[in-house]
Amino acid sequence: MILTKAQYEEIAQCLVSVPPTRQSLRKLKQRFPRYLSGVVKDGAAPVLLELANEMDYAPSLMARIILERFLQEHEETPPSKSVINSMLRDPSQIPDGVLANQVYQCIVNDCCYGPLVDCIKHAIGHEHEVLLRDLLLEKNLSFLDEDQLRAKGYDKTPDFILQVPVAVEGHIIHWIESKASFGDECSHHAYLHDQFWSYWNRFGPGLVIYWYGFIQELDCNRERGILLKASFPTDIVTLCHSISSS
């Protein structure tokens, strides 16, 4: 889809003047009704994807907005979040074939957001949890995993609780959390607030492994009980090792 410079500048100026909210996006869509005119010309063309790219907006998020509006206009009751998520995961559920194709093109071409990316992240996260499990077994360390802990009634748990604490670089470790990501300031502070300090309050000091690295200055809570590493530690000291050494 080709825009004149004046059309582009009008949209860009409008984007700058509104806050990044869902309500603002609805207003933008009403002001620039290009999706419908585009699909009328060629329903197979990636109109919605091109529109998202031109507006520098995540394709899957653009698809969600259009899908929500479509369902609002064609259903008696507002669509629930679970229904929308289900349709985004499986666009064949969308009752309009043209829109289903448009949503599908957005989902498979979005490298940052959407159900496909969520599946990839989940798979990578699970892969590293399995890796961590294998390393714990290799070191003959006894542990309880998330499933076992939830069966015992715990609602918020780290990936692994060590049944016998160990020492890493002079710090006692009761639990280990696997993060298959890079630890930047934003994500780490969110994890501290939502997860790590809760684990510390309930289970004591622990270790977080950021498998893809982290900002060095973030490893500042060691003395308070949260240690950061970029790989599985090689200098683990166990209780049996300590006894035999003494």
Side-chain angles (χ1 to χ4, degrees):
M1 189 174 294
I2 299 175
L3 295 176
T4 65
K5 183 178 180 181
Q7 289 173 324
Y8 175 79
E9 290 179 347
E10 182 185 5
I11 295 174
Q13 185 177 4
C14 189
L15 284 171
V16 171
S17 65
V18 298
T21 63
R22 185 169 295 177
Q23 291 75 17
S24 297
L25 288 168
R26 289 197 182 100
K27 293 178 182 178
L28 288 172
K29 186 166 65 65
Q30 292 169 358
R31 183 170 176 181
F32 305 106
R34 295 169 50 212
Y35 165 70
L36 290 177
S37 61
V39 296
V40 166
K41 295 179 181 178
D42 185 357
V47 177
L48 196 54
L49 176 62
E50 292 176 358
L51 180 60
N53 290 335
E54 289 168 10
M55 296 182 69
D56 195 23
Y57 201 71
S60 61
L61 299 182
M62 180 69 76
R64 176 182 287 273
I65 293 169
I66 299 297
L67 178 59
E68 283 183 355
R69 182 58 181 270
F70 171 84
L71 294 175
Q72 288 171 358
E73 292 179 350
H74 291 80
E75 302 290 339
E76 295 181 357
T77 58
S80 66
K81 185 177 180 180
S82 61
V83 169
I84 293 172
N85 288 339
S86 179
M87 289 184 176
L88 290 173
R89 286 192 297 268
D90 179 12
S92 67
Q93 299 178 25
I94 299 174
D96 184 278
V98 173
L99 178 57
N101 179 56
Q102 295 290 323
V103 169
Y104 171 78
Q105 293 180 54
C106 285
I107 296 301
V108 299
N109 286 285
D110 195 326
C111 62
C112 297
Y113 300 99
L116 182 59
V117 174
D118 290 341
C119 287
I120 294 172
K121 289 180 179 179
H122 178 77
I124 294 174
H126 180 69
E127 177 184 350
H128 285 80
E129 287 178 19
V130 171
L131 171 62
L132 178 54
R133 175 190 292 272
D134 290 343
L135 290 168
L136 291 171
L137 292 172
E138 184 180 306
K139 293 289 185 179
N140 293 318
L141 299 177
S142 181
F143 59 84
L144 296 174
D145 61 24
E146 276 186 299
D147 293 335
Q148 292 170 312
L149 290 166
R150 285 172 182 165
K152 292 178 176 290
Y154 293 104
D155 56 345
K156 184 177 289 188
T157 68
D159 292 320
F160 299 97
I161 295 287
L162 301 178
Q163 293 185 298
V164 178
V166 300
V168 175
E169 299 178 7
H171 298 274
I172 300 299
I173 300 299
H174 288 266
W175 52 267
I176 304 179
E177 177 76 2
S178 171
K179 292 298 182 188
S181 60
F182 179 84
D184 59 24
E185 285 187 289
C186 182
S187 62
H188 181 66
H189 289 152
Y191 286 139
L192 280 172
H193 180 269
D194 297 336
Q195 298 180 2
F196 302 159
W197 288 126
S198 297
Y199 302 160
W200 180 87
N201 284 329
R202 176 166 290 184
F203 305 109
L207 166 67
V208 178
I209 301 178
Y210 281 112
W211 295 100
Y212 291 92
F214 58 89
I215 298 174
Q216 184 177 9
E217 287 77 5
L218 296 178
D219 190 18
C220 58
N221 291 302
R222 291 187 166 211
E223 300 306 319
R224 298 180 62 187
I226 297 179
L227 179 70
L228 304 186
K229 297 286 287 182
S231 60
F232 189 78
T234 58
D235 56 347
I236 293 178
V237 178
T238 63
L239 179 62
C240 294
H241 181 269
S242 299
I243 294 175
S244 62
S245 298
S246 61

